């Protein structure tokens, strides 16, 4: 969506249909005249910033809506999804939906991004990205930074780390892979009382991740195995089981701090 809102959404849309109707008010009414995949295909990229916005509303939009500067960590970023050749401008949707926001920094944190940096390195300094004409006229800034480390190692870097306003991990599967590293990072996220949203591909991952977070004492504010209304609306073939499909960001869990 190209237009920047002048007011805050009082409540967050419940699904993609409501979101598109609200944010694409010119093209959405024409959907019957457009190819059937037109809007679903757009959710592959848009699912990332929209899930960040959804997380802010779940955690309490009043904690974010008055900020003039916002930092989001995208943890465990994958070269095939978050870092795939894709339009970075989709992230500007967050600026478009938070009228008071003047600067947004997205920091991608993942060891798998090491080979994506040229030359191979473990850090790319903050880089200003182009904004739309409206945001540019209002002096708004969109910044991207990359740390090719685990989140707990990045947090230990006193020269580069500052506490984020939100942590998001897409399709992390923290109970399935690299669990020890995830546990170390999550414990620190809980200690720092950072609002978090993690997504998963499917039910087994969702239940496993929820149970792991619960065992770590996380204060979880969503249901176990919750379906994500802002999953990617196009199925993906499972490379290990060609007759099986899944949806990116299909399930999700939100948590913040530890249970007292």
């Amino acid at each position: 969506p190209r237009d920047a809102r002048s007011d805050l959404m009082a409540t967050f849309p419940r699904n993609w249909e409501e979101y598109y109707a609200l944010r694409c008010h010119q093209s959405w009414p024409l959907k019957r005249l457009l190819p059937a995949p037109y809007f679903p295909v757009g959710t592959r990229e848009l699912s990332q910033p929209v899930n960040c916005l959804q997380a802010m509303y779940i955690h309490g939009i009043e904690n974010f809506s008055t900020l003039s500067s916002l930092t989001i960590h995208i943890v465990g970023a994958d070269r095939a999804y978050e870092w795939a050749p894709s339009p970075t401008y989709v992230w500007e949707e967050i600026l478009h939906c938070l009228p008071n926001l003047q600067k947004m920094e997205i920091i991608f944190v993942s060891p798998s991004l090491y080979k994506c940096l040229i030359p191979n390195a473990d850090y790319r300094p903050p880089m200003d990205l182009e904004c739309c004409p409206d945001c540019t006229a209002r002096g708004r800034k969109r910044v991207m930074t990359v740390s090719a480390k685990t989140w707990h190692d990045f947090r230990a870097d006193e020269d580069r780390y500052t506490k984020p306003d939100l942590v998001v991990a897409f399709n992390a599967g923290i109970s399935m892979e690299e669990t020890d590293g995830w546990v170390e990072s999550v414990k620190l996220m809980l200690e720092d009382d950072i609002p978090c949203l993690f997504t998963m591909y499917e039910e087994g991952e969702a239940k496993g991740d929820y149970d792991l977070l619960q065992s770590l004492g996380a204060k979880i504010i969503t249901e176990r195995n919750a379906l994500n209304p802002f999953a990617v609306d196009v199925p993906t073939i499972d490379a290990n089981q060609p007759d099986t499909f899944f949806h990116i960001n299909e399930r999700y869990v939100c948590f913040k701090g530890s249970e007292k």
Side-chain angles (χ1 to χ4, degrees):
R2 297 180 180 180
D3 59 314
R5 292 182 61 91
S6 58
D7 61 336
L8 185 71
M9 289 184 284
T11 58
F12 202 68
R14 293 174 296 177
N15 50 48
W16 281 119
E17 285 206 357
E18 289 189 3
Y19 195 89
Y20 276 131
L22 183 66
R23 295 293 296 129
C24 299
H25 47 83
Q26 293 182 331
S27 55
W28 182 250
L30 304 176
K31 64 177 181 176
R32 293 183 179 178
L33 303 178
L34 297 169
Y38 184 87
F39 286 102
V41 166
T43 65
R44 178 175 171 82
E45 306 298 341
L46 196 56
S47 180
Q48 297 177 63
V50 170
N51 269 290
C52 292
L53 286 165
Q54 176 182 219
M56 295 179 210
Y57 276 81
I58 291 172
H59 283 287
I61 191 59
E62 66 277 3
N63 300 312
F64 302 91
S65 59
T66 59
L67 298 177
S68 60
S69 179
L70 175 73
T71 300
I72 300 174
H73 287 184
I74 306 299
V75 182
D78 187 85
R79 287 177 291 172
Y81 182 49
E82 295 92 332
W83 199 253
S86 60
T88 65
Y89 56 76
V90 294
W91 290 98
E92 197 169 353
E93 176 66 355
I94 297 173
L95 277 171
H96 288 174
C97 291
L98 298 177
N100 290 323
L101 197 59
Q102 284 296 114
K103 177 184 177 183
M104 178 183 67
E105 182 174 18
I106 304 294
I107 303 180
F108 296 92
V109 185
S110 174
S112 70
L113 298 181
Y114 179 82
K115 293 183 178 180
C116 297
L117 302 183
I118 303 174
N120 287 350
D122 62 8
Y123 185 73
R124 174 183 284 178
M127 178 173 61
D128 288 352
L129 301 175
E130 184 179 1
C131 288
C132 72
D134 182 60
C135 287
T136 300
R138 294 169 58 182
R140 306 175 98 180
K141 293 184 66 176
R142 187 164 58 94
V143 181
M144 182 181 73
T145 305
V146 180
S147 174
K149 295 181 177 181
T150 61
W151 190 84
H152 54 267
D153 285 336
F154 179 52
R155 180 184 181 274
D157 189 339
E158 296 180 357
D159 294 329
R160 292 169 175 165
Y161 173 85
T162 57
K163 181 180 175 180
D165 300 293
L166 178 68
V167 166
V168 175
F170 294 117
N171 313 299
I174 64 172
S175 62
M176 310 290 281
E177 297 181 1
E178 307 292 341
T179 299
D180 290 345
W182 277 110
V183 165
E184 188 172 352
S185 291
V186 168
K187 284 181 176 178
L188 294 171
M189 294 172 192
L190 300 181
E191 180 183 316
D192 292 347
D193 202 36
I194 302 169
C196 299
L197 177 143
F198 284 15
T199 73
M200 309 87 189
Y201 286 126
E202 47 84 30
E203 181 177 353
E205 281 186 347
K207 291 179 176 178
D209 289 7
Y210 185 101
D211 293 346
L212 178 58
L213 290 168
Q214 196 170 52
S215 74
L216 296 174
K219 186 176 182 180
I220 303 173
I221 56 178
T222 49
E223 296 180 356
R224 186 173 185 259
N225 192 32
L227 282 169
N228 185 359
F230 295 101
V232 173
D233 200 19
V234 177
T236 298
I237 297 176
D238 189 332
N240 298 316
Q241 298 177 294
D243 59 342
T244 303
F245 295 82
F246 63 88
H247 287 264
I248 295 170
N249 300 328
E250 181 182 282
R251 316 274 168 151
Y252 74 121
V253 61
C254 285
F255 60 96
K256 178 180 182 288
S258 300
E259 292 283 5
K260 304 299 182 184

